Amino acid sequence: MSRPKPHTVEAPPLQVDEWLNASAPIDLAGLRGKVVLLYAFQMLCPGCLAHGLPQAERVHRMFREDDVAVIGLHTVFEHHDVTGPAALRAFTQEYRWSFPIGVDRPAPDGNIPMTMRDYALGGTPSLVLLDRRGHIRLHHLGSIDDLALGSAIGRLLEEGAEIGGGAGPAASGPARMRDAARMPAWRRRPSRGSAAGPRRSAGTAPVRFRKG
Amino acid sequence: MSRPKPHTVEAPPLQVDEWLNASAPIDLAGLRGKVVLLYAFQMLCPGCLAHGLPQAERVHRMFREDDVAVIGLHTVFEHHDVTGPAALRAFTQEYRWSFPIGVDRPAPDGNIPMTMRDYALGGTPSLVLLDRRGHIRLHHLGSIDDLALGSAIGRLLEEGAEIGGGAGPAASGPARMRDAARMPAWRRRPSRGSAAGPRRSAGTAPVRFRKG
Amino acid sequence: MSRPKPHTVEAPPLQVDEWLNASAPIDLAGLRGKVVLLYAFQMLCPGCLAHGLPQAERVHRMFREDDVAVIGLHTVFEHHDVTGPAALRAFTQEYRWSFPIGVDRPAPDGNIPMTMRDYALGGTPSLVLLDRRGHIRLHHLGSIDDLALGSAIGRLLEEGAEIGGGAGPAASGPARMRDAARMPAWRRRPSRGSAAGPRRSAGTAPVRFRKG
Amino acid sequence: MSRPKPHTVEAPPLQVDEWLNASAPIDLAGLRGKVVLLYAFQMLCPGCLAHGLPQAERVHRMFREDDVAVIGLHTVFEHHDVTGPAALRAFTQEYRWSFPIGVDRPAPDGNIPMTMRDYALGGTPSLVLLDRRGHIRLHHLGSIDDLALGSAIGRLLEEGAEIGGGAGPAASGPARMRDAARMPAWRRRPSRGSAAGPRRSAGTAPVRFRKG
């Protein structure tokens, strides 16, 4: 392979004290060998709810856990008083997000929380894509469509096959494309009944029934 | 007109201590002569955000203020701790809802707030449609499509022309349909730039930019 | 009722020699007492397929047959050679439109077919709404949203209750709104399984399987 | 790179006598070095119009011409009489598809046209993805979402970087991900004004104005 390697940098560590949808704290070092999608959001940001979070959920459901790790990051920089961890838990429960979500650590000296500052994120929603070595390869503020994001993930997955993946997950990747007359074989996580992801799922039970 | 009048009842009063998007408290008696759309919701209810609130916004923007009054009602019966008035204000500001929203008064003895209980609403989103006399004419839990809601409002508007509307707003209603080769002449409130209403508008600025 | 009646004109007759989805030729005189929605379209017009025809289908399914008659009108004024009656039949079968469709009579002297010319339609999609007396009340070129169209139909239905409807269908209209905690009681035609109408229905069987 | 190569076969040649949106006949041999997306459709197939063709258009607009070639294939196996080349040309013009479309050669002995038969396609829409060597790698009947298709294309693009791409187009691929804070740098073809592709573009001029 004669193609020159891009010069990239390792992603800063996540500064998170509290996790949702995770049985233990997550650190990036433990995810070496996987492509990582970091999705920064705020629970009251309309673009996050309309676009970013459903996309994160789709990626989480589409790819094998060994190939792609999706991590939500609640980077609160406005409405701090009403979007704390308790509000985030209620929000996450109502929308049934299934990927791990970390609460970005508030900075002692300002509004921008610490991981958001270290990654120089310009707002929410923002996504950061890390290759299998943990290096930053894509840094995007705002909407990105599924075709572009899928392609970027696909390239990093295939690239990873050489760099560090060994004969493991990647070995079975392209070969299994052959028989994909149904949904891709690399879809691993069980769907909640609808190919359209969280939006449709929410659609099946959009009503909150009173209990008493 | 020989058609028998339906037997209907007057709507109970709203029990609201705090209003958003309103310069003064709103009571139903003051809305006699208008068709009233009450939309009960909770800010963390996915079906409310996906369907109910955008529909309320569309109705608010579609009809003349003299003809139709839209009132949101925040009927919190779960997640009370994180969906109080401060959270509702942040939510309303972020999504730019433009219709008045009242906070349903919490009941001293239970989860169901008082207006929700008086109207026997089964959950959120729920809508209640009042005729020009303030009588309940439609009571709906969950999604209702725009064609059905539009038709119900249209019937009440036309009916109201006889009952109490006088020669005022209704007089110019159907007549002005004649030249509606463009958007209906009875649309009165200025759009925020997109025919699709709040969802599209949110789409034009979906990103939250950090300020510091 | 003191409101002045608008001055309106009777709709010109339909000039149609061939009907689809109809057991006999349809003429407007036979529809007196119903609100009539005429929807002019061309089978290769993208806006007709994206917006107009699904909306016509929704109206057809939403209202009682005694209240609202939906009529499609294939007003071919371009691509005559490939959008004749045989092509229209294949198109109608594939998209499963369920309302009657008439082929507008070609003019001997030009491109604009005869009904289209008599109604002075500016293009496709166009809709024309007739009141229960057969008078033109709404004339619209391009997209109109469901809320506006529903409201216009609702007003004409209620107005019709006085003008000519007698105690028949209209008598049961507004009264039955009371118990509409489910879909409106005046929906009469059986749905094809999805509230979203033809688009969703198409979605359930979007694939054309080869037969040989 | 130690990962075993999948065993794949070369794609059969296209049997096409007539092309739209192409200045010269296209054969697969001439596309070596590019990933090829073949999209089989019929112009009166609702699933093709709702899903397949807009997706083909999005792929065509998203990727560099040197990286990905999109080819539509009109595989008529029903409604032959009304979906011949003249009808296809009108359809293509109205929907403004910008990728090349070939008319699959009718078989002398049956309904299934010859390329469709050679590729053993089960219906429409169907897509076939070829790697840079011209081997079949994905074969899909029905809907596939953009994330899955994007990922499959991304893997083949990256894989192609080793196999046959040389230092050419692929060399600049992943490296340029670094600065993708806007839409991906590998988008090359000019958009028609809307990020949402053909559906939105159609939306900007959905009305057919009469000319005479």
Side-chain angles (χ1 to χ4, degrees):
Chain A
M1 177 186 158
S2 59
R3 196 160 50 81
K5 290 273 195 318
H7 297 271
T8 57
V9 297
E10 194 172 336
L14 303 177
Q15 304 207 39
V16 169
D17 295 317
E18 179 161 4
W19 288 94
L20 284 72
N21 294 337
S23 53
I26 295 170
D27 77 310
L28 295 180
L31 299 175
R32 290 291 182 277
K34 304 184 187 188
V35 171
V36 177
L37 174 63
L38 275 181
Y39 230 119
F41 72 100
Q42 294 182 102
M43 61 172 278
L44 289 186
C45 150
C48 298
L49 196 46
H51 177 78
L53 290 163
Q55 185 176 58
E57 185 74 27
R58 285 195 298 274
V59 173
H60 183 59
R61 294 183 180 285
M62 173 72 67
F63 293 92
R64 293 162 33 113
E65 206 167 356
D66 287 341
D67 279 339
V68 178
V70 174
I71 297 176
L73 193 62
H74 199 222
T75 53
V76 174
F77 62 92
E78 52 189 357
H79 307 304
H80 297 80
D81 53 328
V82 294
T83 58
L88 178 65
R89 270 191 299 272
F91 171 77
T92 301
Q93 174 196 326
E94 287 301 330
Y95 283 88
R96 306 182 197 175
W97 310 120
S98 65
F99 50 90
I101 296 174
V103 179
D104 196 3
R105 186 176 299 153
D109 59 343
N111 280 329
I112 309 302
M114 299 186 72
T115 314
M116 184 178 186
R117 195 190 54 193
D118 289 351
Y119 278 79
L121 302 180
T124 56
S126 276
L127 67 80
V128 178
L129 207 49
L130 313 185
D131 63 23
R132 294 200 197 243
R133 298 167 307 163
H135 283 214
I136 296 177
R137 299 297 288 279
L138 181 65
H139 202 280
H140 188 90
L141 171 64
S143 283
I144 184 173
D145 61 50
D146 279 10
L147 206 52
L149 180 58
S151 169
I153 292 174
R155 297 192 85 140
L156 293 181
L157 283 174
E158 188 63 19
E159 178 192 71
E162 316 147 36
I163 292 172
S172 56
R176 60 169 49 169
M177 284 187 201
R178 282 307 308 286
D179 56 308
R182 59 206 178 303
M183 273 310 292
W186 57 83
R187 177 193 285 262
R188 210 195 70 97
R189 296 184 186 82
S191 168
R192 288 179 308 195
S194 162
R199 289 255 280 233
R200 284 283 187 82
S201 290
T204 62
V207 180
R208 308 304 308 162
F209 293 97
R210 53 190 267 185
K211 293 147 193 164
Chain B
M1 177 185 156
S2 59
R3 195 160 51 82
K5 289 275 194 318
H7 296 270
T8 57
V9 296
E10 194 172 337
L14 303 178
Q15 304 206 39
V16 168
D17 295 317
E18 179 161 4
W19 288 94
L20 286 71
N21 294 336
S23 54
I26 294 169
D27 77 310
L28 296 180
L31 300 174
R32 290 293 181 275
K34 304 184 187 188
V35 171
V36 177
L37 174 63
L38 275 182
Y39 229 119
F41 73 98
Q42 293 182 102
M43 60 172 279
L44 290 187
C45 150
C48 298
L49 195 46
H51 178 78
L53 290 163
Q55 186 176 57
E57 185 75 27
R58 284 194 299 274
V59 172
H60 182 60
R61 295 182 180 285
M62 172 73 67
F63 293 92
R64 292 160 37 108
E65 206 167 357
D66 286 341
D67 279 339
V68 179
V70 175
I71 298 176
L73 191 63
H74 199 223
T75 53
V76 174
F77 61 93
E78 54 190 354
H79 308 303
H80 296 79
D81 53 328
V82 295
T83 58
L88 177 65
R89 270 191 298 273
F91 171 77
T92 300
Q93 174 196 326
E94 288 300 329
Y95 283 87
R96 307 182 196 175
W97 310 121
S98 65
F99 50 89
I101 296 175
V103 179
D104 195 4
R105 186 177 299 152
D109 59 342
N111 280 328
I112 309 301
M114 298 186 70
T115 313
M116 184 178 186
R117 194 190 55 191
D118 289 350
Y119 277 79
L121 304 181
T124 55
S126 277
L127 67 81
V128 178
L129 207 49
L130 313 185
D131 63 24
R132 294 200 197 241
R133 299 169 305 164
H135 283 213
I136 296 177
R137 298 297 289 276
L138 180 66
H139 201 281
H140 188 89
L141 172 64
S143 283
I144 184 172
D145 60 51
D146 279 10
L147 205 52
L149 180 58
S151 169
I153 291 172
R155 296 193 87 140
L156 293 181
L157 282 175
E158 188 62 21
E159 179 192 69
E162 316 148 38
I163 292 173
S172 56
R176 57 168 50 166
M177 285 186 198
R178 283 306 307 287
D179 56 307
R182 61 209 177 300
M183 272 311 290
W186 57 83
R187 176 194 287 263
R188 211 195 68 98
R189 296 183 185 81
S191 168
R192 287 181 309 198
S194 162
R199 290 255 281 235
R200 283 286 184 82
S201 291
T204 62
V207 180
R208 307 305 305 161
F209 293 97
R210 53 189 268 185
K211 293 146 195 165
Chain C
M1 177 187 160
S2 58
R3 195 160 51 80
K5 289 274 194 318
H7 296 270
T8 57
V9 297
E10 194 173 336
L14 303 177
Q15 305 207 39
V16 169
D17 295 317
E18 179 161 4
W19 288 95
L20 285 71
N21 294 335
S23 53
I26 295 170
D27 78 310
L28 295 180
L31 300 175
R32 290 291 182 276
K34 304 184 186 188
V35 171
V36 177
L37 175 63
L38 276 182
Y39 230 119
F41 72 99
Q42 293 182 103
M43 60 172 280
L44 290 187
C45 151
C48 298
L49 195 46
H51 178 78
L53 290 163
Q55 186 177 56
E57 185 75 27
R58 285 194 298 276
V59 173
H60 182 59
R61 295 183 180 286
M62 172 72 67
F63 293 92
R64 293 160 36 109
E65 206 167 357
D66 287 342
D67 280 339
V68 179
V70 175
I71 298 176
L73 192 62
H74 199 223
T75 52
V76 174
F77 61 92
E78 53 189 354
H79 307 304
H80 297 80
D81 54 327
V82 295
T83 59
L88 178 65
R89 270 192 297 273
F91 171 77
T92 300
Q93 174 196 327
E94 287 301 329
Y95 283 88
R96 307 182 198 175
W97 310 121
S98 64
F99 50 89
I101 296 174
V103 179
D104 195 4
R105 186 176 300 153
D109 59 343
N111 280 327
I112 310 300
M114 298 185 71
T115 314
M116 184 178 185
R117 195 190 54 192
D118 289 350
Y119 278 78
L121 303 180
T124 56
S126 276
L127 67 81
V128 178
L129 207 49
L130 312 185
D131 63 24
R132 295 201 197 240
R133 299 168 305 164
H135 284 213
I136 295 177
R137 299 297 289 277
L138 180 65
H139 201 281
H140 189 90
L141 171 64
S143 282
I144 184 173
D145 62 49
D146 279 11
L147 206 51
L149 180 57
S151 170
I153 292 174
R155 296 192 87 140
L156 292 182
L157 283 175
E158 188 63 19
E159 179 192 69
E162 317 147 36
I163 292 172
S172 55
R176 59 169 49 166
M177 284 186 199
R178 284 306 308 287
D179 56 307
R182 60 205 180 306
M183 272 311 291
W186 56 82
R187 176 193 287 264
R188 210 195 70 97
R189 297 184 185 80
S191 168
R192 288 180 309 197
S194 162
R199 289 256 282 235
R200 282 285 185 82
S201 291
T204 62
V207 180
R208 306 307 306 164
F209 292 98
R210 53 190 267 184
K211 292 146 193 165
Chain D
M1 179 188 154
S2 58
R3 195 161 51 81
K5 290 275 197 314
H7 297 270
T8 57
V9 297
E10 194 173 336
L14 304 178
Q15 305 206 39
V16 168
D17 295 318
E18 179 160 3
W19 288 95
L20 285 72
N21 294 337
S23 53
I26 295 170
D27 76 311
L28 296 180
L31 300 174
R32 291 291 181 277
K34 304 184 186 187
V35 171
V36 176
L37 174 63
L38 276 182
Y39 229 118
F41 73 99
Q42 294 182 103
M43 61 172 277
L44 289 186
C45 150
C48 298
L49 195 47
H51 177 78
L53 289 163
Q55 186 176 58
E57 186 75 27
R58 285 195 298 276
V59 173
H60 182 59
R61 295 183 179 285
M62 173 73 66
F63 293 93
R64 293 161 33 110
E65 206 167 357
D66 286 342
D67 279 340
V68 178
V70 174
I71 298 176
L73 192 63
H74 198 222
T75 53
V76 174
F77 62 92
E78 52 189 357
H79 306 304
H80 296 79
D81 53 329
V82 295
T83 58
L88 177 65
R89 270 191 299 271
F91 171 77
T92 301
Q93 173 196 327
E94 287 300 331
Y95 283 87
R96 306 182 197 175
W97 309 121
S98 64
F99 50 90
I101 296 174
V103 179
D104 196 3
R105 185 177 300 153
D109 59 343
N111 279 328
I112 310 301
M114 297 186 72
T115 313
M116 185 179 185
R117 194 189 56 192
D118 290 350
Y119 278 79
L121 303 180
T124 54
S126 276
L127 68 80
V128 178
L129 207 48
L130 313 186
D131 63 24
R132 294 200 198 242
R133 298 168 306 164
H135 283 214
I136 295 177
R137 297 298 288 278
L138 180 66
H139 201 281
H140 189 89
L141 171 64
S143 281
I144 184 172
D145 59 50
D146 279 11
L147 205 52
L149 180 58
S151 169
I153 292 173
R155 296 193 85 139
L156 293 181
L157 283 174
E158 188 63 19
E159 179 192 70
E162 316 148 37
I163 291 173
S172 56
R176 59 169 50 168
M177 285 187 199
R178 282 308 307 288
D179 55 307
R182 62 208 177 302
M183 272 312 289
W186 57 84
R187 177 194 286 261
R188 210 194 69 97
R189 296 184 185 81
S191 168
R192 286 180 309 196
S194 163
R199 291 255 280 234
R200 285 285 186 81
S201 290
T204 62
V207 180
R208 308 304 306 160
F209 293 96
R210 53 190 267 185
K211 292 146 194 166

